[in-house]
Amino acid sequence: MDPASMPPIRQFLPNPETPWLVSPQVFQRIQATGITNGYKKCPITSNDPEWAFILRYFEWKKPTNRCIRAVHCIHSPNATQNFQSNIPTIDQQAKSPAFSPKWQQEEDVHLRQKVNRRWKAMTDPYSPVTVPGGNSRKDSYAHTKILPLWHGTKAAVCHSICQTGFTFFGKHQLLQEGKKDENNTDTGYFGAGIYFTNSARYAAEVYSDGNLLLAWVSMREPYPVVANAPNLYPDKPKDMKKLEGLGAYQNYNAHHIPIVSVKPDNPSCSIYYPCSQTEQPQCDEIVVFQPSQTLARFWIEVEIELPKSLEVQLTIGAFLQKVLDLLEAQAIQQDIGLTKALEDKAKLLIVLDPNKTIPDQDAEFCRWAMQLLDSAGKVRTFVSKQLLIPQIPFSSPAPQVIPKPIIQPILPKVPQVPAIAFDKAKWNTYFGDIGEEPPLPADIHQILSGPCPFWPDKKVQDTHLLALIPKTVNGQLLNLANLAHWIRGPKQGWAAKFSSWCPGGNENLPVASSYWVLMTKDVLEGTRWKSYGEQTEIVSKFAQKVSVPYQPPKLLEAAVCILTEYVSSGMRIYSDNPLTYTRCDEKYENGPYQMVLGNFGAGGLDVYYNNFGFVIDHYGLSCLRRL
């Protein structure tokens, strides 16, 4: 059994030390919301730091053909107080011999030890936690373990949980009396408690009607539940027989069960058993037994995701009709920004061949537009924000321009463009015409073949990227918003996207004139676990030492270097393995927080910000020189 992995997402939380607290902007919206039926509820948008945390966790074990429709933050002052006040109690219990785990004295001890190691691998990234106290005091607890976990259920039950907190159904009493609970499909395979999982897929596909709660759950070391043999179904393992329908086992306040489907080859099977010695878990379940161990924080609404293969078959004419229908909707007419965006799109569509299918690079706008109105005819806020991001117009053939013959003057000899350069020719290959290419320094080949000032045992050409930053591409200004669309549908090569989009007001900053940059492929050694001031000091000392004007990169410069390398080679740098971001020169909304770029994985590249200025190992600093 492999140790459990959790996605490296704690750094996306606005308060990593006290992870259940929300960001200042969400807290302000919560405070402005009236209490309804005992709790407050406000939407989470893609501009909130909580969004990146939720989205990454959701996509880590993403439900099949499902996507997030909406996210709401839930706040109950009483539930928060109960949850926080129970943490010191759990911590004291964990240190007391009276609550020491006794699973080492049971059968299958070797397998239970593996399950225990798996649990520790899950909880270590969230330990220790800090609980705010009186007089601005903050107390740290290392023995109480906290996890963000999913709970799938129905909308009505979500509402009830938000009102009064999680409750378990007392199934042990029903079982002993020979009664049935008509509201539940089983008596509690692993105990009559409150069930959670680390898999959004499992929570959504087995238990949910399209509603998930993401909760913070506290516990001591749980009882490790195992199967004494594989393939026992329809019989049950020994642990299930002794736990089913009953309360907490012995002195534990939680049970941990790595689970596997009884029919792994059948994706629709909803019956899962504990893992035996020879089986690998598909995900994990955690069962706790006190409502004060739980705090519902986010309510996520999930909807069916239309397969892309069906969407891109939509013709331009059919989509034009959809846009015109949207413009007739009352909810759209009340939104000036959306009305203008859709009118502009209709004007572009009307001149195109209605029988042609929508180009790949334009399909994203179509997908969002198809989801713009909910079943009640209301505008989905998150979708409208996506549509208002600057769009690349639908492609249409450019008129052929026959250049007039001119007499070229005799020019000084310029150096041949190095093979590693992402130059005018490559821009044209992957994205489009950039106009005139500025010359490279005459000694560019000597620069590239010389020793690297940061990694002296290597050459500059081995540790740097050489990229042209053009002013325009196909007549459109180069900025971060346009680059975000171009990289989704390059003319050829590897497509990509931004998985988190929090550009902080920097998305439309233009390039004054085309120029070259030489940027490091990685953050500099010694810049992790440093503040931005300390990092820039390191770069400054290197620059003075080698008499080369190295500087921190701008957000657009770093994005161009990272994405042009990927589109042409398929290689991800500043990736999620190891998790790496570079801080950039710009601030988020001109505030105190530095912009960051990185975590480039299968889900895309993050453009985000160093919220609250946290100093962590993921945030280093690259540097570049402008040529």
Side-chain angles (χ1 to χ4, degrees):
M1 181 182 297
D2 295 331
S5 62
M6 290 285 279
I9 54 175
R10 186 180 185 182
Q11 76 274 11
F12 292 108
L13 290 164
N15 298 283
E17 289 82 6
T18 311
W20 56 89
L21 297 186
V22 297
S23 60
Q25 62 262 40
V26 172
F27 184 73
Q28 289 177 2
R29 294 205 301 272
I30 282 284
Q31 290 296 95
T33 303
I35 293 181
T36 303
N37 297 316
Y39 68 97
K40 294 185 175 185
K41 179 181 177 183
C42 80
I44 295 293
T45 74
S46 59
N47 293 323
D48 296 320
E50 289 85 354
W51 175 261
F53 176 82
I54 295 164
L55 182 63
R56 274 167 179 73
Y57 198 7
F58 181 82
E59 292 191 338
W60 179 58
K61 292 185 182 292
K62 189 175 182 292
T64 306
N65 297 330
R66 287 173 174 84
C67 61
I68 293 177
R69 181 174 66 183
V71 177
H72 305 276
C73 180
I74 303 302
H75 177 61
S76 166
N78 290 337
T80 303
Q81 177 60 34
N82 291 339
F83 180 76
Q84 290 186 166
S85 62
N86 193 39
I87 289 175
T89 302
I90 295 176
D91 208 73
Q92 286 296 321
Q93 291 175 348
K95 293 184 283 188
S96 169
F99 292 93
S100 295
K102 300 178 176 61
W103 54 262
Q104 297 92 337
Q105 303 169 18
E106 301 194 17
E107 296 179 327
D108 301 302
V109 65
H110 182 62
L111 180 55
R112 295 188 199 278
Q113 188 176 40
K114 289 183 178 180
V115 174
N116 183 256
R117 285 200 300 265
R118 183 176 173 88
W119 173 79
K120 288 181 177 178
M122 290 169 60
T123 56
D124 281 352
Y126 293 93
S127 182
V129 294
T130 299
V131 177
N135 299 321
S136 300
R137 190 182 78 253
K138 293 184 178 181
D139 299 316
S140 182
Y141 298 94
H143 295 88
T144 301
K145 303 302 180 181
I146 306 286
L147 280 174
L149 296 171
W150 302 98
H151 181 86
T153 187
K154 300 177 181 179
V157 178
C158 285
H159 176 63
S160 175
I161 290 170
C162 294
Q163 279 185 294
T164 60
F166 288 96
T167 59
F168 57 91
F169 298 103
K171 299 177 200 173
H172 54 291
Q173 181 179 353
L174 295 172
L175 188 68
Q176 290 167 351
E177 295 176 356
K179 299 178 181 179
K180 290 185 177 180
D181 182 354
E182 300 298 334
N183 295 319
N184 296 287
T185 56
D186 59 67
T187 54
Y189 274 170
F190 314 121
I194 311 167
Y195 279 67
F196 297 92
T197 177
N198 60 354
S199 168
R201 180 189 307 131
Y202 179 68
E205 296 179 4
V206 176
Y207 294 106
S208 172
D209 69 347
N211 292 272
L212 299 174
L213 291 175
L214 183 53
W216 291 99
V217 182
S218 63
M219 69 202 80
R220 291 182 270 110
E221 183 178 315
Y223 179 61
V225 181
V226 302
N228 52 292
N231 305 319
L232 291 173
Y233 183 79
D235 195 10
K236 296 175 181 177
K238 292 180 180 179
D239 277 6
M240 286 178 64
K241 292 178 179 179
K242 75 182 180 187
L243 298 176
E244 186 173 11
L246 301 178
Y249 181 64
Q250 294 182 351
N251 59 351
Y252 297 91
N253 70 351
H255 300 164
H256 171 215
I257 315 97
I259 56 173
V260 63
S261 170
V262 297
K263 298 179 180 179
D265 297 330
N266 180 3
S268 63
C269 177
S270 61
I271 301 174
Y272 286 73
Y273 274 13
C275 288
S276 67
Q277 188 72 252
T278 59
E279 293 172 314
Q280 285 296 333
Q282 291 174 260
C283 61
D284 299 77
E285 282 199 279
I286 297 285
V287 186
V288 297
F289 298 90
Q290 295 298 327
S292 58
Q293 292 177 255
T294 67
L295 180 65
R297 179 54 79 205
F298 302 107
W299 182 342
I300 295 94
E301 297 177 39
V302 178
E303 66 183 358
I304 299 297
E305 191 172 37
L306 189 64
K308 185 178 178 182
S309 60
L310 296 179
E311 296 169 4
V312 297
Q313 294 174 5
L314 192 67
T315 64
I316 289 173
F319 186 62
L320 173 59
Q321 186 60 52
K322 175 65 177 178
V323 171
L324 296 175
D325 290 342
L326 287 172
L327 285 168
E328 293 298 316
Q330 184 177 359
I332 301 294
Q333 294 174 356
Q334 294 173 352
D335 189 312
I336 297 174
L338 271 180
T339 298
K340 185 178 186 306
L342 291 169
E343 286 177 347
D344 290 345
K345 187 61 67 178
K347 292 174 184 177
L348 291 169
L349 292 170
I350 197 68
V351 300
L352 302 180
D353 185 344
N355 297 315
K356 288 188 175 180
T357 57
I358 297 169
D360 287 346
Q361 63 265 34
D362 301 313
E364 183 188 11
F365 184 92
C366 303
R367 289 196 291 271
W368 284 121
M370 300 293 278
Q371 302 293 330
L372 181 55
L373 298 180
D374 63 16
S375 58
K378 296 182 180 179
V379 173
R380 292 182 173 127
T381 305
F382 173 68
V383 175
S384 70
K385 288 179 179 291
Q386 305 309 306
L387 291 176
L388 292 175
I389 294 174
Q391 300 290 321
I392 301 304
F394 277 74
S395 304
S396 59
Q400 186 175 5
V401 178
I402 302 175
K404 297 178 180 180
I406 58 173
I407 301 174
Q408 293 284 355
I410 299 175
L411 298 174
K413 186 176 181 181
V414 296
Q416 183 178 2
V417 176
I420 70 166
F422 198 91
D423 60 353
K424 173 183 172 71
K426 290 182 180 177
W427 273 102
N428 189 58
T429 297
Y430 295 102
F431 299 107
D433 180 45
I434 63 154
E436 184 178 353
E437 180 181 72
L440 281 161
D443 62 344
I444 185 62
H445 291 282
Q446 288 85 349
I447 293 174
L448 295 176
S449 60
C452 174
F454 310 109
W455 295 275
D457 57 330
K458 298 180 180 179
K459 296 180 179 180
V460 170
Q461 63 193 17
D462 300 321
T463 60
H464 287 59
L465 298 170
L466 178 59
L468 175 59
I469 311 292
K471 180 178 180 179
T472 62
V473 180
N474 283 336
Q476 293 183 299
L477 291 176
L478 172 65
N479 55 40
L480 200 63
N482 282 341
L483 181 62
H485 290 283
W486 295 335
I487 194 62
R488 284 179 173 270
K491 294 163 65 177
Q492 58 179 277
W494 300 78
K497 64 179 180 178
F498 285 98
S499 52
S500 278
W501 180 256
C502 290
N506 300 290
E507 60 270 31
N508 294 315
L509 298 180
V511 176
S513 60
S514 301
Y515 62 100
W516 290 92
V517 295
L518 195 58
M519 175 177 153
T520 57
K521 293 181 180 180
D522 198 358
V523 297
L524 304 189
E525 292 180 358
T527 60
R528 296 177 185 265
W529 289 111
K530 296 284 195 303
S531 68
Y532 184 62
E534 293 171 321
Q535 292 171 337
T536 54
E537 182 66 23
I538 292 172
V539 172
S540 178
K541 287 181 178 179
F542 268 114
Q544 293 175 8
K545 181 179 179 180
V546 298
S547 299
V548 175
Y550 275 102
Q551 301 175 43
K554 292 187 178 298
L555 193 61
L556 179 60
E557 292 170 333
V560 166
C561 289
I562 293 169
L563 293 174
T564 54
E565 172 68 14
Y566 181 72
V567 76
S568 58
S569 70
M571 180 181 298
R572 296 189 183 98
I573 56 175
Y574 297 86
S575 73
D576 57 353
N577 186 24
L579 182 58
T580 303
Y581 290 84
T582 178
R583 287 188 175 101
C584 297
D585 183 59
E586 296 89 348
K587 304 283 189 179
Y588 180 79
E589 301 288 358
N590 294 318
Y593 307 137
Q594 217 68 37
M595 295 300 300
V596 297
L597 194 74
N599 191 28
F600 194 6
L605 176 67
D606 286 353
V607 53
Y608 209 68
Y609 61 98
N610 181 197
N611 48 319
F612 295 92
F614 287 123
V615 175
I616 53 179
D617 64 333
H618 311 319
Y619 295 157
L621 185 65
S622 62
C623 65
L624 57 72
R625 54 186 295 189
R626 300 177 182 97
L627 303 176

